[in-house]
Amino acid sequence: MPETMWAAVLHGLNDLRVEQVARPAIARPNDVLVRVGSVGICGSDIHFFERGRIGNYVVEAPPILGHEAAGVVDAVGPGVRGLAPGDPVVLTPCPPCGSCYWCVRGEASLCEGALGIMTNTFADGSTGLSRRGQAVYRGLNVAAFAESTVVHANGAIQVPADTPLEVACVIGCAVQTGVGAVLNTARVEEGATVLVMGLGGIGLSAVQGARLANAARIIVSDPVAQRRDTAKALGATDFLDPKTDDVVAATRELTGGVGVDYAFETAGVAALVTTGFFATRNGGAIVCVGAPPVDQAITLAPASLFVVSGKRLLGCLLGSCNSIRDIPRLLGLWRAGRLDLESMITARRPLTEINEAIDDLNAQRGIRTVLSLA
C-alpha cells in the first residue's frame, strides 16, 4: 500500500486543498483502517470550512474534515472482533464505548468516545495523520475527506456486502441525526403534529422520521422550492416559505390555533428556535438539531412564558443515536422501502471537486453531494 494518499486538507478559512498526506496506520488496539469509498458533504463540514468551528467545537488547523462516510475495512488492530479486511462499513462520528456513564444510561451519542468531535484527536491526544512530518487533525472525529482513515472499531459499523456505499454513507450523519431526532430525542408518537424548519439533509431526514412515526401532520418550512418539493415526496403534508409566510401564524392556523406538538430546528439558525417555541403548543417540545454559529444565542422571552407554558427545549447530538444499533436499523428501513436515501443525494463528484461541491451547497443547489474516492 502506498505510503501517501490524497486528502482534502483545510489550511485556513475557505482554504481547502486536495494534496498528499501520509497514509494512516493502525497504532492502537481496537483500531480499524478503512479505505473510504464515499463521503457526503455535511453542513457541519461547511461550518468548519467557513468559520473554523461548529457551535463551540473548534478545529485546530490543519484538519481533514469529512464525517459522513462509508468504506471498506483494509486492516484491523489487536482486539478487534467482528470486523475483517474486506468488510463494508458505515462510519460514525460518535462511536459508543458501551460502558461509560452515558452509555450505560442509554445516551450513547454523548459517550466519552464522542469527545473526538471536540478535540479532533484520539483519546490519547494523537491524530494518526500527518503532512510533511506535521500533525493533521481529525476533523469531527472521522477525517473522511481522504482515501483512508483510522477509526475505533466501534465507529465502523458493518453493513451487508451488497450495500451501495454512496447511498449508505448519508446514514452516517444526516439520516442518523434527522430520523433519530424524531424517533429517539423527541420520541414523536403516532398522530402527533410536527414542524421541521430547514430542509437540508438533516431536515429531510427529520421529515422521514416523522413519517415513520406516523405523525398526522408534517409541516415544513424552507425558502428553496426544490427542497419543499422533495419534502412532499418524502411525506410532508404542509409547506411554508419563510420568505413570504409567517411561520408561527401559519403553523398555528394549520393546527387549529393550538400549535404543533413538536418543532425541529434543523438549519443551524438560533433564531429558528425562538420561532419553534412560539409555533409549539403548551406542553410541546422544541428540538435543537442544527448547530448554530457560536456567536448566535437562543432567546426565549419572557422567561416566565417558558415556565408557565410547560414547553420543553431539547438538545440533540447525532439524533441521540446508538450507532451500533441504529445504523443497521436505518439501513433495514431503507431495504424495506420505508426510508428514501437516494432522493437526498442530488450530486456526485470526485474528491478533486470538493470546493465546487461546497460552492453548490452554499448556493443551495441540491441537497447532498457525495464525493467518490473509490
Side-chain angles (χ1 to χ4, degrees):
M1 185 177 294
E3 293 183 354
T4 61
M5 66 176 182
W6 290 103
V9 181
L10 185 64
H11 287 263
L13 298 186
N14 301 299
D15 185 7
L16 190 62
R17 308 175 200 171
V18 177
E19 57 191 6
Q20 292 274 299
V21 301
R23 189 178 297 274
I26 290 173
R28 288 162 298 276
N30 298 310
D31 274 356
V32 176
L33 175 65
V34 176
R35 181 172 11 104
V36 178
S38 296
V39 54
I41 299 180
C42 176
S44 300
D45 298 312
I46 295 177
H47 286 320
F48 276 127
F49 174 74
E50 296 177 338
R51 306 175 186 133
R53 65 173 69 214
I54 175 173
N56 288 321
Y57 305 157
V58 180
V59 170
E60 300 290 341
I64 295 173
L65 302 176
H67 61 283
E68 186 179 85
V72 175
V73 174
D74 265 341
V76 300
V80 174
R81 294 184 296 177
L83 288 174
D87 287 343
V89 291
V90 172
L91 306 183
T92 178
C94 297
C97 72
S99 60
C100 71
Y101 180 94
W102 291 272
C103 280
V104 298
R105 286 162 175 77
E107 299 172 339
S109 68
L110 304 178
C111 172
E112 293 175 348
L115 289 176
I117 291 179
M118 294 179 279
T119 64
N120 304 291
T121 68
F122 289 111
D124 62 6
S126 67
T127 69
L129 297 165
S130 65
R131 170 183 163 274
R132 300 173 188 170
Q134 299 297 314
V136 173
Y137 287 85
R138 299 169 44 79
L140 282 170
N141 210 24
V142 179
F145 288 158
E147 292 181 304
S148 295
T149 189
V150 170
V151 299
H152 190 281
N154 286 356
I157 314 304
Q158 186 176 1
V159 297
D162 62 347
T163 304
L165 298 183
E166 67 172 13
V167 173
C169 70
V170 298
I171 295 177
C173 178
V175 178
Q176 280 197 99
T177 302
V179 175
V182 175
L183 301 184
N184 300 330
T185 309
R187 299 185 179 182
V188 170
E189 66 277 5
E190 187 172 11
T193 53
V194 168
L195 168 66
V196 178
M197 295 171 288
L199 296 174
I202 291 174
L204 290 172
S205 295
V207 170
Q208 297 204 67
R211 189 194 70 236
L212 288 168
N214 291 318
R217 195 151 214 162
I218 305 171
I219 305 166
V220 297
S221 171
D222 193 281
V224 181
Q226 178 194 4
R227 294 183 174 186
R228 296 196 300 272
D229 290 342
T230 302
K232 181 177 181 179
L234 296 177
T237 59
D238 301 277
F239 312 91
L240 304 176
D241 181 347
K243 293 185 297 185
T244 57
D245 295 317
D246 182 325
V247 174
V248 172
T251 299
R252 288 191 167 275
E253 181 178 354
L254 289 167
T255 54
V258 175
V260 290
D261 298 310
Y262 302 92
F264 295 86
E265 191 290 304
T266 57
V269 178
L272 292 181
V273 176
T274 304
T275 300
F277 174 77
F278 288 107
T280 304
R281 67 168 174 84
N282 288 347
I286 306 94
V287 186
C288 308
V289 189
V294 69
D295 58 350
Q296 293 185 10
I298 296 172
T299 303
L300 299 176
S304 57
L305 180 60
F306 177 69
V307 174
V308 301
S309 71
K311 299 181 184 184
R312 295 170 292 142
L313 184 63
L314 304 174
C316 173
L317 177 62
L318 199 70
S320 305
C321 281
N322 179 333
S323 296
I324 295 174
R325 174 197 68 196
D326 288 321
I327 287 177
R329 179 171 70 161
L330 293 166
L331 192 58
L333 288 167
W334 168 73
R335 289 183 177 276
R338 300 180 61 197
L339 187 61
D340 185 348
L341 304 180
E342 291 89 345
S343 291
M344 296 173 52
I345 302 168
T346 51
R348 293 170 175 82
R349 289 180 179 268
L351 179 64
T352 52
E353 296 180 8
I354 186 170
N355 283 293
E356 291 84 350
I358 290 173
D359 289 342
D360 285 344
L361 294 181
N362 278 333
Q364 297 183 325
R365 292 189 291 264
I367 298 162
R368 218 27 155 227
T369 295
V370 169
L371 302 176
S372 175
L373 292 97

